[in-house]
Amino acid sequence: MNYKHFSLLYDQLMDEAPYDQWMEFLTTQVNNHFSEAKKVLDLACGTGEMSIRLFERGFDVVGVDLSEEMLSIAYQKAVDKGFRIPFFRQNMTELTEFPYFDIVIIFCDSLNYLQTEQDVANTFTSVFQCLNHGGLLLFDVHSPYKMENVYAGATFAYNGDDISYIWNSYAGEYPLSVEHELTFFVFDEQSGKYDRYDELHKQRTYPKSQYENWLKAAGFQILSITGDFTNEPVSETTERIFFTVKKP
């Protein structure tokens, strides 16, 4: 996946993303299950929005992403705020040379970008190995309902002064997968014209029971599975599934 251009637009496009709700979810789970937690690994940290919020809340944060472009933006944002947050480029399926963490988060459906079942299973094993005993893994994924009924065959569009986009989603080659074709038009002040950028993003999800099986195989104890930023169980129309699991 090419984030070269997308990373520069990411924060503008995610301006209304529910970062505060992710923070509320994390805070609730930490208070309920590991109130003394201090060290947090922000996996697939992107441009560092969650990492910065965690630092501001007093957590000791490390950010990890696969995109050098995203990490460069995250690092600069932290520097601009006077924060010392280490950011590393690594693959979440094979984390190496990290100390033990109290919390690992994988938010914003980042896990859905993994394209094979083995990659998901390897990620859970990798995370398990870098958690302290009693540590928590918190993550969310798209539900099968969202893949099949919200994304597949849908078109989204935005027309702004500086950025416009057309976003077409199609059913992917695997069950419960989608391909997002994004075309951006970005205004260039020097030329007075709009530059066009194209991106292809692939996402894949699985039934809730499959995630449970992988988590248990990795050694995790499942504490809760809820839907759509609520404390309610997952329903047939849930769009985002939240997992809270623990390393015994």
Side-chain angles (χ1 to χ4, degrees):
M1 177 171 28
N2 178 16
Y3 274 115
K4 182 176 181 180
H5 303 299
F6 185 68
S7 60
L8 298 175
L9 311 174
Y10 186 83
D11 283 339
Q12 296 183 61
L13 299 173
M14 292 288 286
D15 185 55
E16 296 183 3
Y19 291 113
D20 291 339
Q21 288 180 275
W22 276 306
M23 274 301 311
E24 183 178 352
F25 171 75
L26 179 147
T27 301
T28 297
Q29 302 311 312
V30 169
N31 288 341
N32 288 343
H33 304 293
F34 199 169
S35 59
E36 66 271 26
K38 184 70 175 177
K39 298 174 67 65
V40 181
L41 174 61
D42 183 7
L43 271 185
C45 66
T47 61
E49 281 297 311
M50 284 300 298
S51 296
I52 288 172
R53 282 170 166 77
L54 287 162
F55 189 92
E56 289 173 333
R57 296 285 186 95
F59 288 100
D60 182 2
V61 189
V62 173
V64 168
D65 203 277
L66 195 57
S67 167
E68 292 182 1
E69 291 80 15
M70 291 282 198
L71 290 171
S72 177
I73 294 171
Y75 174 78
Q76 190 58 53
K77 284 162 67 173
V79 169
D80 289 345
K81 285 181 170 287
F83 298 163
R84 298 185 63 180
I85 303 175
F87 292 99
F88 298 95
R89 183 179 184 273
Q90 285 200 25
N91 191 322
M92 71 173 77
T93 65
E94 47 185 6
L95 300 171
T96 60
E97 299 181 2
F98 278 122
Y100 290 112
F101 293 91
D102 301 321
I103 307 289
V104 175
I105 61 172
I106 314 174
F107 286 156
C108 196
D109 49 81
S110 297
L111 199 69
N112 293 130
Y113 280 97
L114 300 177
Q115 289 299 296
T116 71
E117 297 184 18
Q118 192 60 56
D119 280 345
V120 180
N122 288 348
T123 295
F124 290 153
T125 299
S126 181
V127 169
F128 187 89
Q129 292 172 348
C130 69
L131 271 172
N132 285 314
H133 288 289
L136 304 177
L137 165 61
L138 311 175
F139 68 95
D140 64 81
V141 292
H142 289 316
S143 69
Y145 171 83
K146 187 171 187 178
M147 291 299 210
E148 295 181 327
N149 297 279
V150 177
Y151 277 148
T155 296
F156 310 93
Y158 171 76
N159 185 19
D161 293 334
D162 297 323
I163 298 177
S164 298
Y165 68 77
I166 301 172
W167 168 5
N168 294 309
S169 295
Y170 306 94
E173 60 181 304
Y174 302 109
L176 301 179
S177 70
V178 293
E179 296 186 5
H180 305 291
E181 291 183 352
L182 298 99
T183 300
F184 301 97
F185 300 93
V186 183
F187 184 70
D188 185 331
E189 292 184 355
Q190 291 186 339
S191 67
K193 299 179 181 180
Y194 285 85
D195 295 324
R196 172 175 172 167
Y197 304 106
D198 296 290
E199 297 277 346
L200 176 63
H201 293 241
K202 297 182 179 182
Q203 289 191 305
R204 185 180 183 186
T205 200
Y206 305 90
K208 177 172 68 71
S209 59
Q210 182 63 75
Y211 287 109
E212 293 180 79
N213 290 339
W214 283 323
L215 289 164
K216 291 175 182 176
F220 284 106
Q221 173 189 352
I222 297 174
L223 300 178
S224 68
I225 304 175
T226 56
D228 294 332
F229 292 105
T230 73
N231 293 321
E232 299 299 319
V234 174
S235 71
E236 292 182 357
T237 57
T238 292
E239 295 188 14
R240 191 182 293 273
I241 305 174
F242 286 80
F243 290 78
T244 300
V245 301
K246 175 182 178 180
K247 178 176 179 177

